[in-house]
Amino acid sequence: MAEWNHILKRKEYTPEKSTELVVNLIPTLKKKNVKRILDLGCGAGRHVIYLTEKGFEVHGIDISRTGLKTTKEKLEKRRLGAELVKADMKSIPYINSCFGVVICINTIYHQKKAEIQRTISEIHRILRDNGLFFANFHSKRSGRYGKGIKIEEDTFIDETGPERGVLHHFVDEEELRRLLKDFRRTNFEIVEEKAGNYLRSRIIVTAEK
């Protein structure tokens, strides 16, 4: 948590613009008549802001007080309302079946594998029937795979760079199928781009309860 309180003070970790992943999700949300959305690991709040402006009832959870403070300030500046909660994603403080959609962007993979499984179980619990879980995961094809201090299989802690001291877990589709076994329908899309000699590789997950 201390790392994220520090990291989320940096400008590059407090962008105003929503990711294309969430922008492209809007037609699906409208088609499914979604009302209530949870942004799990909301960080500095760009998706909370964007989805609230689109008319959804948005709740944001993060473990970082810095992130939640920044999100609250952005909401107040725009005269928007959203529910913000400081909590660990492995123990989500909401009742069963209360959200139509849970999004988790650039967040869930900052845990060990067993913790990711606990988080996914919690997401499944709070989703309504036919609800959607939408997230991205680091792929094992990523140029970052194998870098840093190995703490368990496919899990490493950065030793350098802006996320020094932060844990990253990497997956493939086979592992994702195991992690998401309780969902009745899943879809995976690999998105890759090159930055010099470095390959950025992520798997976009859409899972329906």
Side-chain angles (χ1 to χ4, degrees), residues 45-88:
R46 58 175 164 170
H47 298 127
V48 171
I49 299 297
Y50 177 76
L51 292 168
T52 301
E53 288 178 333
K54 291 295 181 181
F56 297 100
E57 177 190 331
V58 184
H59 297 244
I61 284 180
D62 205 279
I63 200 169
S64 167
R65 292 188 185 279
T66 298
L68 293 171
K69 180 176 182 289
T70 301
T71 302
K72 182 180 179 183
E73 290 170 352
K74 290 179 180 179
L75 286 165
E76 290 175 347
K77 183 178 179 180
R78 294 166 175 78
R79 297 184 180 179
L80 297 171
E83 184 71 23
L84 303 177
V85 179
K86 183 181 181 297
D88 190 311

Side-chain angles (χ1 to χ4, degrees), residues 51-148:
L51 292 168
T52 301
E53 288 178 333
K54 291 295 181 181
F56 297 100
E57 177 190 331
V58 184
H59 297 244
I61 284 180
D62 205 279
I63 200 169
S64 167
R65 292 188 185 279
T66 298
L68 293 171
K69 180 176 182 289
T70 301
T71 302
K72 182 180 179 183
E73 290 170 352
K74 290 179 180 179
L75 286 165
E76 290 175 347
K77 183 178 179 180
R78 294 166 175 78
R79 297 184 180 179
L80 297 171
E83 184 71 23
L84 303 177
V85 179
K86 183 181 181 297
D88 190 311
M89 64 174 59
K90 298 185 295 296
S91 182
I92 301 173
Y94 284 92
I95 62 172
N96 297 351
S97 307
C98 63
F99 286 100
V101 168
V102 174
I103 66 169
C104 194
I105 308 299
N106 301 339
T107 303
I108 195 169
Y109 49 73
H110 292 304
Q111 304 181 95
K112 296 179 182 178
K113 181 176 177 179
E115 294 171 332
I116 293 173
Q117 185 67 79
R118 284 172 57 192
T119 298
I120 289 174
S121 295
E122 278 288 88
I123 291 167
H124 188 274
R125 177 184 65 79
I126 64 171
L127 275 174
R128 298 181 329 200
D129 288 343
N130 303 314
L132 290 181
F133 169 44
F134 186 76
N136 59 356
F137 289 79
H138 274 310
S139 163
K140 291 181 184 179
R141 286 174 47 82
S142 171
R144 296 177 70 171
Y145 179 73
K147 305 294 195 303

Side-chain angles (χ1 to χ4, degrees), residues 184-200:
R184 67 185 182 89
R185 186 177 300 146
T186 55
N187 182 70
F188 307 132
E189 178 186 358
I190 297 178
V191 175
E192 296 183 337
E193 60 180 352
K194 278 231 173 174
N197 294 323
Y198 169 73
L199 178 67
R200 183 190 301 274

Side-chain angles (χ1 to χ4, degrees), residues 163-177:
E163 293 186 5
R164 181 180 179 183
V166 175
L167 181 153
H168 295 78
H169 182 75
F170 297 79
V171 301
D172 53 23
E173 290 191 21
E174 182 179 353
E175 181 179 345
L176 283 173
R177 289 190 182 93

Side-chain angles (χ1 to χ4, degrees), residues 14-54:
T14 58
E16 298 291 332
K17 189 176 179 180
S18 173
T19 60
E20 287 188 14
L21 294 177
V22 174
V23 172
N24 294 339
L25 191 60
I26 295 298
T28 299
L29 301 182
K30 291 183 176 179
K31 183 178 179 180
K32 291 179 69 68
N33 197 30
V34 170
K35 303 296 183 184
R36 185 181 297 124
I37 300 172
L38 175 64
D39 183 359
L40 189 58
C42 64
R46 58 175 164 170
H47 298 127
V48 171
I49 299 297
Y50 177 76
L51 292 168
T52 301
E53 288 178 333
K54 291 295 181 181

